Amino acid sequence: MLDDRYILKFKAATGFVVVLEYKNSEELAANQKKIEEAGISCERLQGFSFNFDQSDLYMDMRSPECIEQFDLDDWI
């Protein structure tokens, strides 16, 4: 479905609330597993809006620039 969004929210080891948006459910699931294996709980969001939802960091992991700049291991 074109309207599906693959968004993951977690509280990082730094205490920051991090929101990551992926291009597909496989990438989301792989990173969700990695976060949970580090002992951090996370949740899948159906939607996210910069204007109404809160996070300390939002990264659009559909973007090659964001993928290059963000290292999940630094946050877990």
Side-chain angles (χ1 to χ4, degrees):
M1 183 176 227
L2 295 175
D3 295 329
D4 283 351
R5 293 181 72 188
Y6 305 99
I7 306 169
L8 195 58
K9 177 181 175 183
F10 67 97
K11 188 170 184 179
T14 60
F16 288 3
V17 175
V18 178
V19 175
L20 305 173
E21 184 161 1
Y22 296 96
K23 61 184 170 185
N24 60 53
S25 61
E26 292 81 12
E27 288 181 53
L28 180 139
N31 285 294
Q32 181 173 2
K33 181 179 178 186
K34 188 173 187 176
I35 293 165
E36 290 173 344
E37 285 176 348
I40 299 172
S41 63
C42 56
E43 65 178 303
R44 166 111 191 252
L45 304 177
Q46 295 304 313
F48 182 80
S49 168
F50 294 114
N51 296 323
F52 302 107
D53 297 319
Q54 295 183 355
S55 72
D56 296 304
L57 176 67
Y58 168 84
M59 296 296 282
D60 186 346
M61 302 304 283
R62 300 169 298 174
S63 161
E65 292 85 10
C66 286
I67 292 169
E68 190 172 309
Q69 294 175 12
F70 184 80
D71 184 356
L72 183 60
D73 291 331
D74 290 343
W75 295 87
I76 58 173

